[in-house]
Amino acid sequence: MAMKSEILTFLRESGDYISGQELCDHFHVSRTAVWKVMKQLQEEGYVIEAVRNRGYMLVENPDVLSLNELKSRIRNRWAGKEIYFYEETGSTNADAKSLGEAGAPHGTVVVADKQNAGRGRRGRTWESPAGKDIYFTILLRPEFPPDKAAGLTLAMALSVVQAIGAECSLEAGIKWPNDVVMNGKKICGILTEMSVERDYIQHVVTGVGINVNLEVMPEEIRETATSLFLESGKKTARAALLQAVLKKFEQNYEKYARDLDMSSMVADYDACLVNRDSQVRILDPKGEWEGIARGINASGELLVENQAGETVMVYAGEVSVRGLYGYV
Ligand code: ATP
């Protein structure tokens, strides 16, 4: 396992032929052992060219989502250092919670190719078909108090937007607090759940679903949802995007844990905020109202100017925000 993912890393990073002998020497194995790994990789869909006297070259890196592919890419200090991959699972948040209870370390990541019971906020479902999208959850063990955990969702949303920019050269926006959108439709949802004991956080799980290569949106969400592929016409290697999200999140989390607020991210977050300076309707269970969204404060609350001209701080907990004429 370790050798296979390391060989993948070598092949990807060299971008050229690597001699079989070099690999034998590095891993202290026979030529046949190296050849066997290459054959397995080819069977998994990697296009590897073998040329006599030159060695092996990875000529095409397909959209493979597997433990090996992820391990061969992720180089973070803690985010995804420990990683689990399932072809199919109920919900990665539920899996990460069980791992949290069993003592798994901070930064453990659970990835699935398909979820049978993907969840959104307030018991809503998250459509999670196989083979196209990214569903993952990161387990966190913050040392800050429970009332600071809401910011993790915002930090994750920002990380997803930054990763889509870096990896796909596409510009996505944020619909406060937890949706990543493109052209007015949702491409990513984030669900943070926390386990609290007395007044400290036992663990937090932040789950992310990204619509990546989906070509046809399920009927129920066609009005409000889209995918990176539908918006750009380009396919994305999911493992590469996931790697980029985890890398950005590791950086953003560290800033958040250091400052205990969003102060270092407010400007970047506001720059992505699709509702900024436009009319929004606040769907507060205590009563709906309208105003103009101005941006977030360091606590991650949305600043909304009401009709009396006062600025109201809207807390993410139980409200949804809508544009006046639709979802954004
Ligand atoms: P809002 O804040 O807009 O009210 P939400 O943040 O509460 O929404 P989430 O909990 O993030 O919503 O996501 C659940 C909702 O997202 C579902 O009710 C459904 O409408 C929509 N949805 C479900 N699956 C997907 C998907 N794969 N892509 C985009 N949207 C989806």
Side-chain angles (χ1 to χ4, degrees):
M1 173 68 80
M3 176 164 116
K4 198 156 136 189
S5 64
E6 261 190 76
I7 286 185
L8 255 182
T9 310
F10 273 128
L11 288 169
R12 191 182 301 112
E13 286 173 2
S14 113
D16 198 351
Y17 287 92
I18 300 185
S19 80
Q21 192 57 50
E22 209 176 295
L23 293 169
C24 296
D25 293 346
H26 182 88
F27 292 104
H28 307 290
V29 296
S30 68
R31 285 206 166 231
T32 319
V34 168
W35 176 81
K36 272 191 186 149
V37 171
M38 296 297 173
K39 207 159 163 323
Q40 281 171 15
L41 288 171
Q42 284 165 335
E43 275 157 17
E44 287 165 25
Y46 298 93
V47 183
I48 295 166
E49 224 171 61
V51 173
R52 195 187 285 271
N53 295 327
R54 295 187 75 184
Y56 301 97
M57 181 161 90
L58 181 64
V59 286
E60 200 185 313
N61 199 37
D63 179 29
V64 175
L65 198 59
S66 67
L67 195 58
N68 273 315
E69 175 71 17
L70 292 165
K71 282 197 166 162
S72 75
R73 287 181 179 273
I74 295 167
R75 290 284 170 274
N76 295 333
R77 273 184 297 118
W78 52 265
K81 197 152 193 259
E82 188 125 338
I83 191 156
Y84 293 78
F85 173 77
Y86 304 115
E87 292 288 345
E88 187 172 338
T89 191
S91 136
T92 56
N93 266 29
D95 294 335
K97 263 190 232 176
S98 312
L99 286 165
E101 255 126 54
H106 175 75
T108 298
V109 168
V110 180
V111 184
D113 186 56
K114 176 180 194 285
Q115 292 186 117
N116 296 315
R119 287 181 288 125
R121 297 202 294 171
R122 280 159 271 168
R124 293 169 178 164
T125 55
W126 187 260
E127 300 287 335
S128 313
K132 303 284 175 188
D133 299 330
I134 295 175
Y135 317 108
F136 81 92
T137 298
I138 186 162
L139 168 74
L140 302 164
R141 298 190 178 281
E143 280 167 14
F144 46 73
D147 63 342
K148 298 284 179 204
L152 295 173
T153 300
L154 282 78
M156 182 58 89
L158 179 61
S159 308
V160 171
V161 170
Q162 290 170 333
I164 289 172
E167 196 52 44
C168 315
S169 307
L170 294 172
E171 205 175 305
I174 299 174
K175 185 173 91 69
W176 181 91
N178 66 332
D179 293 335
V180 177
V181 299
M182 271 181 89
N183 300 322
K185 290 180 167 185
K186 174 143 87 174
I187 48 166
C188 163
I190 299 165
L191 176 66
T192 294
E193 297 174 288
M194 170 164 58
S195 157
V196 177
E197 240 170 65
R198 281 181 295 271
D199 52 358
Y200 69 92
I201 298 177
Q202 224 234 336
H203 61 252
V204 179
V205 298
T206 294
V208 182
I210 311 177
N211 300 330
V212 183
N213 294 323
L214 204 62
E215 297 114 338
V216 184
M217 274 295 138
E219 186 70 46
E220 315 82 77
I221 53 170
R222 204 160 289 165
E223 296 278 292
T224 53
T226 187
S227 69
L228 292 173
F229 174 75
L230 286 171
E231 295 308 311
S232 67
K234 284 186 297 192
K235 294 278 168 113
T236 298
R238 287 173 291 164
L241 180 57
L242 178 51
Q243 167 197 26
V245 173
L246 291 174
K247 185 172 165 198
K248 295 288 178 191
F249 183 72
E250 184 171 282
Q251 294 162 356
N252 289 331
Y253 178 94
E254 283 179 2
K255 290 188 213 163
Y256 188 76
R258 177 196 67 201
D259 303 340
L260 287 184
D261 65 29
M262 300 277 301
S263 49
S264 70
M265 286 173 265
V266 168
D268 287 341
Y269 189 96
D270 280 352
C272 307
L273 193 62
V274 289
N275 289 122
R276 197 171 185 196
D277 297 329
S278 57
Q279 287 274 351
V280 291
R281 188 194 302 275
I282 307 299
L283 310 182
D284 189 326
K286 291 191 235 88
E288 293 185 20
W289 54 283
E290 283 168 21
I292 300 171
R294 292 299 186 197
I296 61 164
N297 62 15
S299 312
E301 293 156 333
L302 186 67
L303 304 174
V304 181
E305 213 175 286
N306 67 15
Q307 269 139 9
E310 302 148 351
T311 300
V312 180
M313 293 181 282
V314 179
Y315 179 72
E318 273 299 307
V319 304
S320 287
V321 172
R322 290 282 180 278
L324 282 197
Y325 303 105
Y327 169 69
V328 167

